[in-house]
Amino acid sequence: MKQFLAFVKKEFFHIWRDKRTMFILLGMPVIQIVIFGFALTNEVKNSKIAVLDQSKDAATASLISEINSSRYFDVEENLQSYNEIETAFRKGKIKLAIVLPNQFGEDLQHMNKASVQLIADASDPNVANTLTNYATAVIIDYQNRVTNNLKLPYTINIKTRMLYNPQLKGAYNFVPGVMAMVLLLVCTMMTAITIVREKEMGTMEIMLVSPMKPQLVVFAKAVPYLLLSSINITSILLLSVYVLEVPINGSLALLVAESILFTLVSLSLGLLISSAAESQQTAMFISLVALFLPTVMLSGFMFPIENMPFPLRTVSNIVPAKWYYIIVKSVMIKGVGLAAVWKETLILLGMMLFFLTVAVKRFKIRLQ
Amino acid sequence: MRTLKFLLQKEFRQIFRDPAILRIIFIMPVIQLMILPWAADYEIKNIKLSVTDLDRSSYSRQLISKITSSGYFQLTHYSGSFEESFEEIEKDNTDLVLEIPASFEKQLVKESEAQLFIASNAINGVKGNLGSAYLRTILQDFNREVRLEWIQMPRFSPQTQIEVTASNWFNPLLNYKYFMVPGILVLLLTMVGANLTAINIVKEKEIGTIEQINVTPVKKYHFILGKLIPFWILGMIVLTLGLLISRLLYGIIPLGGFFTIYVFAAIYLLAVLGLGLLISTYATTQQQAMLISFFLMMIFVLLGGLYTSIDSMPEWAQWITRFNPVSYFIDVMRMVVLKGSGLGDIKSHLLSITAFAVVLNGWAIFNYRKRT
């Protein structure tokens, strides 16, 4: 044990000596959480749109001002003819065109009926879909106002409650996701690369002739990163609560424990990668190119997993970040206890044991 | 010129000597391009719904069957109390709860007015919002049917109706793949390009071989060209493989032509490689180079406009995206592939990326000279 601690100390000094790396390691998650927490949102707002008003009467004027004043839309261009729509789209400036036909106001007044055409730039299907929905909602609101909220018989009133996030802030969804990504990638990459580095430089042999067991040599390299990750977890949580205003509704102790568990999973994954890779370049490539995009895309915080085709839903199960993301969402925001997330916790534990076992096995073969 | 030839020979040999890295450079992007686009579907469907039916009347049954037949909702739970349904939300088994209160039907018929409650899991605000909006639309439809059942509507509708028709241009079937595949290809190309150069030069520093090169008559620009050219070629091959997969697997044929894409990509790669070069002049170890490029990559990728719309970001974040080469390429891909834009349409993008290429490479060369 004393020997082990001595090794840990040595590794710690190694990191401590390289101030620049330390700074990046501790500063990076802070900057990223803040940037992503504020900038990432699935919401589509302030979208630039164009209006083709062929009627130019009081009704269209008030409808357009209604649309412009909603936070979803900024009327950027007033078009004069139908042909201009395509040009406006091609220039890439606007996302939606609203066409108000001739005699819109008169139709509305005399026939109680009028029509509006929405044309969306569907090269981004998500934005097109959302904007069409929002515009329709604004128009229906306007229509109801014109009707003077006429009370009809046999009416069903609907009350809606938005649970957990009544202001519909993007950060509630993205903070847990970014936490998972930052922790996973930093820990995995760092452990993977430090061990491979020793291999590449030839210093690994020197350590292996020490009386320590090879596995312990390897573990000793992971310990300082566990400590660094704990600092990262602390700073990330502080930022989430005080800067991004995402509350911790559940038990802080449980949240921290789960985060440490996830860090351990990432560290073991790093050990596994380092047992497979021969050069730092390879280790980095595996941890960045092979882990980054799948983590973004398959962990569920960007795209809903239930929409994915069956094979991908299956693949998403082996993405550790998916489980951690569910845990953080549940504990941090829903405020539930271990009883609700024991399954996810067990899966992470299992992953950790699996990665560790395989990594240690491979080290043995290689190092004897 | 001869020096450059030998340097290139050396670099290529070094690259081909490590089959692991070569395999990763080519196979990893290909596999990811084949798999990941299938995951990218934002459309809100398959919403998990739990219904608390305290009424158990013919209306509540009609209502539930109307909801389930809409195609948007999966009835995952049907319970007799709101608490039970709420627990389902806590356990992540359901996204939306609809509560039909006791005597719903009676009130609607007798008192001409009734209440329904929706509770929506809004951690993902957009999903929560749209999910409940869909449900409301169905409920209003139901409401209209009930009304028709009880009263004869006059021919002249007392309620004003604005009819909204919507059409989608450039991608009428709302195919997410057309939008995601070119974007993911950009990300892969960027990661491969920037990291390769960054790591490669720092490696020479760390092992000490860079000193050996420095004492030879190799000129700085020879050295840098020797590093850039092989990776530029590798990048173009990765791009070609990617476009091939897009064509074969996803049927994507850029309306604006391949030529435009290649012209842009050629300069883009220079910019990205220049970035790698720049990182390598600042980093002293591969570890540092990796951390820096990982840091930048994450920002470039997540703020590139592929996953979330740039227009919705706060002002300062939009400002950051102007210094994000990835966002330019993604935009160009979208324009060329879906809208058929040609070189003329993407002129301003082309200009910006050329500026990136010049500044990043110039800065790197300048900085490199100072250090040695």
Side-chain angles (χ1 to χ4, degrees):
Chain A
M1 197 59 206
K2 231 177 105 183
Q3 278 172 339
F4 182 69
L5 282 180
F7 260 80
V8 169
K9 220 159 117 185
K10 160 195 163 291
E11 293 300 333
F12 198 77
F13 282 139
H14 263 308
I15 303 175
W16 186 249
R17 204 183 310 143
D18 187 354
K19 287 281 179 325
R20 200 191 293 201
T21 308
M22 270 268 288
F23 177 75
I24 305 172
L25 262 181
L26 295 178
M28 198 166 74
V30 170
I31 298 174
Q32 287 182 332
I33 284 281
V34 173
I35 292 185
F36 297 140
F38 281 115
L40 292 186
T41 163
N42 269 332
E43 206 193 9
V44 178
K45 57 187 175 197
N46 303 326
S47 293
K48 300 189 177 79
I49 61 167
V51 177
L52 172 58
D53 182 359
Q54 296 168 319
S55 183
K56 292 198 186 1
D57 52 45
T60 56
S62 74
L63 178 56
I64 292 170
S65 90
E66 185 119 336
I67 289 168
N68 200 13
S69 65
S70 108
R71 67 193 175 117
Y72 304 120
F73 303 108
D74 286 332
V75 176
E76 181 86 357
E77 273 184 81
N78 283 302
L79 304 175
Q80 301 309 320
S81 78
Y82 203 81
N83 299 329
E84 286 176 27
I85 298 175
E86 180 147 2
T87 328
F89 277 138
R90 251 185 232 293
K91 274 192 288 174
K93 282 285 153 260
I94 59 153
K95 305 263 185 258
L96 184 81
I98 299 181
V99 181
L100 299 162
N102 271 326
Q103 299 189 310
F104 178 87
E106 260 175 61
D107 285 354
L108 202 60
Q109 211 171 11
H110 300 301
M111 328 237 301
N112 248 356
K113 217 171 185 150
S115 66
V116 176
Q117 197 190 356
L118 304 175
I119 300 170
D121 172 359
S123 56
D124 184 340
N126 181 44
V127 171
N129 216 351
T130 315
L131 287 184
T132 307
N133 276 325
Y134 286 160
T136 310
V138 173
I139 293 168
I140 288 175
D141 266 2
Y142 173 81
Q143 165 199 299
N144 290 343
R145 190 119 10 114
V146 174
T147 325
N148 263 333
N149 297 319
L150 185 75
K151 187 93 183 141
L152 290 172
Y154 303 104
T155 295
I156 301 174
N157 297 312
I158 303 159
K159 265 200 190 140
T160 309
R161 212 161 47 132
M162 293 293 165
L163 300 172
Y164 310 118
N165 181 11
Q167 292 161 290
L168 305 178
K169 285 207 285 187
Y172 279 62
N173 183 44
F174 284 108
V175 164
V178 175
M179 269 170 77
M181 284 192 43
V182 170
L183 286 179
L184 175 82
L185 290 168
V186 169
C187 300
T188 308
M189 209 159 60
M190 293 313 292
T191 22
I193 209 158
T194 35
I195 295 174
V196 178
R197 184 181 182 183
E198 305 251 7
K199 280 198 211 168
E200 209 175 41
M201 306 283 247
T203 42
M204 198 62 162
E205 274 88 14
I206 302 173
M207 295 213 289
L208 292 178
V209 294
S210 72
M212 274 254 288
K213 276 197 191 140
Q215 290 93 320
L216 286 181
V217 172
V218 169
F219 285 151
K221 298 192 86 58
V223 173
Y225 289 109
L226 184 61
L227 289 177
L228 279 179
S229 306
S230 316
I231 301 178
N232 280 337
I233 293 170
T234 315
S235 58
I236 289 175
L237 287 180
L238 284 173
L239 283 173
S240 312
V241 173
Y242 292 106
V243 180
L244 294 161
E245 295 172 337
V246 178
I248 298 177
N249 289 327
S251 141
L252 179 63
L254 179 61
L255 185 59
V256 170
E258 296 279 6
S259 300
I260 289 173
L261 172 62
F262 182 63
T263 309
L264 287 172
V265 173
S266 313
L267 293 175
S268 347
L269 186 58
L271 291 180
L272 181 61
I273 292 174
S274 67
S275 74
E278 276 306 319
S279 68
Q280 291 186 67
Q281 211 170 10
T282 319
M284 158 174 190
F285 250 82
I286 298 178
S287 32
L288 182 59
V289 182
L291 280 182
F292 182 39
L293 281 190
T295 304
V296 176
M297 304 207 48
L298 299 176
S299 58
F301 87 102
M302 278 286 180
F303 304 101
I305 289 177
E306 61 267 25
N307 278 4
M308 296 175 194
F310 177 73
L312 268 190
R313 251 182 291 152
T314 317
V315 174
S316 77
N317 289 329
I318 59 169
V319 174
K322 170 188 168 175
W323 305 106
Y324 179 64
Y325 169 65
I326 296 177
I327 292 174
V328 175
K329 250 187 351 180
S330 306
V331 175
M332 191 167 172
I333 295 170
K334 289 184 186 169
V336 296
L338 187 59
V341 292
W342 63 269
K343 224 169 42 190
E344 287 79 8
T345 310
L346 273 186
I347 292 173
L348 283 184
L349 264 174
M351 283 182 168
M352 183 187 81
L353 290 176
F354 175 76
F355 293 151
L356 268 184
T357 323
V358 178
V360 166
K361 273 229 170 88
R362 296 196 56 145
F363 270 115
K364 256 195 208 151
I365 296 163
R366 188 171 294 279
L367 297 171
Q368 276 171 358
Chain B
M1 221 38 218
R2 254 171 61 91
T3 341
L4 187 59
K5 209 184 103 196
F6 287 126
L7 271 178
L8 284 177
Q9 220 168 23
K10 158 194 166 283
E11 292 297 333
F12 271 115
R13 277 213 191 125
Q14 265 176 342
I15 295 170
F16 283 101
R17 200 181 303 146
D18 190 350
I21 200 82
L22 209 61
R23 228 177 298 147
I24 295 168
I25 293 173
F26 289 123
I27 298 176
M28 206 82 93
V30 168
I31 293 178
Q32 296 199 8
L33 200 60
M34 283 160 66
I35 296 177
L36 293 179
W38 301 92
D41 187 347
Y42 279 115
E43 206 187 325
I44 311 288
K45 54 190 176 192
N46 305 318
I47 303 161
K48 290 176 281 182
L49 177 76
S50 167
V51 176
T52 310
D53 185 2
L54 303 173
D55 196 27
R56 292 177 196 272
S57 59
S58 81
Y59 268 177
S60 75
R61 269 193 304 275
Q62 272 177 43
L63 184 55
I64 293 166
S65 87
K66 191 172 170 64
I67 294 169
T68 49
S69 63
S70 73
Y72 285 114
F73 298 96
Q74 295 171 7
L75 189 65
T76 52
H77 191 249
Y78 180 86
S79 73
S81 79
F82 183 77
E83 285 70 31
E84 242 178 85
S85 287
F86 187 73
E87 258 173 48
E88 290 296 298
I89 283 202
E90 283 194 330
K91 280 194 250 162
D92 232 14
N93 292 337
T94 195
D95 303 312
L96 214 60
V97 176
L98 172 69
E99 192 193 7
I100 306 173
S103 65
F104 166 75
E105 180 177 311
K106 217 169 90 194
Q107 281 183 355
L108 187 57
V109 176
K110 294 253 166 68
E111 287 158 42
S112 192
E113 190 172 15
Q115 284 269 1
L116 286 175
F117 299 96
I118 300 173
S120 174
N121 174 2
I123 293 181
N124 181 342
V126 173
K127 198 174 172 193
N129 204 4
L130 277 182
S132 62
Y134 289 162
L135 190 54
R136 292 174 80 100
T137 317
I138 297 173
L139 298 180
Q140 272 154 7
D141 247 21
F142 176 77
N143 198 170
R144 204 165 308 138
E145 282 165 25
V146 171
R147 223 171 259 154
L148 278 176
E149 209 179 292
W150 291 95
I151 41 177
Q152 190 71 42
M153 281 289 190
R155 276 180 68 101
F156 180 81
S157 161
Q159 199 186 9
T160 310
Q161 280 262 321
I162 299 180
E163 200 183 34
V164 181
T165 52
S167 48
N168 292 304
W169 284 10
F170 306 118
N171 184 6
L173 296 176
L174 296 180
N175 188 336
Y176 273 77
K177 309 248 167 21
Y178 288 175
F179 170 69
M180 290 303 294
V181 171
I184 292 176
L185 180 56
V186 170
L187 301 188
L188 291 169
L189 199 61
T190 312
M191 287 202 276
V192 171
N195 297 321
L196 275 176
T197 33
I199 286 281
N200 188 291
I201 299 178
V202 181
K203 187 177 177 181
E204 301 228 23
K205 272 197 207 171
E206 207 172 28
I207 304 181
T209 44
I210 207 159
E211 267 97 31
Q212 291 172 16
I213 293 178
N214 283 342
V215 295
T216 64
V218 170
K219 296 214 171 64
K220 297 284 178 257
Y221 76 90
H222 278 154
F223 177 73
I224 283 170
L225 280 180
K227 289 284 178 200
L228 283 187
I229 293 171
F231 294 124
W232 187 85
I233 294 173
L234 285 182
M236 290 308 257
I237 297 175
V238 170
L239 174 72
T240 309
L241 277 177
L243 289 175
L244 213 65
I245 292 171
S246 317
R247 171 84 190 252
L248 294 178
L249 201 62
Y250 303 104
I252 296 175
I253 302 166
L255 282 178
F258 287 103
F259 178 71
T260 318
I261 293 183
Y262 271 98
V263 169
F264 191 88
I267 304 174
Y268 177 79
L269 267 175
L270 278 184
V272 169
L273 295 177
L275 179 71
L277 210 60
L278 183 61
I279 294 173
S280 73
T281 63
Y282 279 103
T284 48
T285 62
Q286 291 185 64
Q287 203 172 25
Q288 282 173 9
M290 225 177 83
L291 275 174
I292 300 172
S293 72
F294 162 58
F295 174 71
L296 290 176
M297 233 16 83
M298 218 169 141
I299 293 181
F300 284 170
V301 169
L302 291 182
L303 299 189
L306 184 67
Y307 296 119
T308 67
S309 141
I310 291 178
D311 285 344
S312 314
M313 293 175 190
E315 198 74 31
W316 57 266
Q318 293 192 22
W319 196 78
I320 293 179
T321 63
R322 279 184 211 128
F323 294 93
N324 179 357
V326 173
S327 72
Y328 289 91
F329 200 7
I330 287 178
D331 207 28
V332 164
M333 277 290 205
R334 237 177 253 173
M335 290 168 79
V336 176
V337 170
L338 287 154
K339 297 191 204 169
S341 308
L343 278 180
D345 298 305
I346 60 162
K347 221 167 24 195
S348 72
H349 291 72
L350 212 51
L351 221 67
S352 313
I353 206 71
T354 311
F356 272 113
V358 171
V359 170
L360 289 171
N361 284 296
W363 184 357
I365 292 170
F366 178 74
N367 208 37
Y368 181 75
R369 204 171 271 156
K370 271 205 315 199
R371 291 198 149 246
T372 42

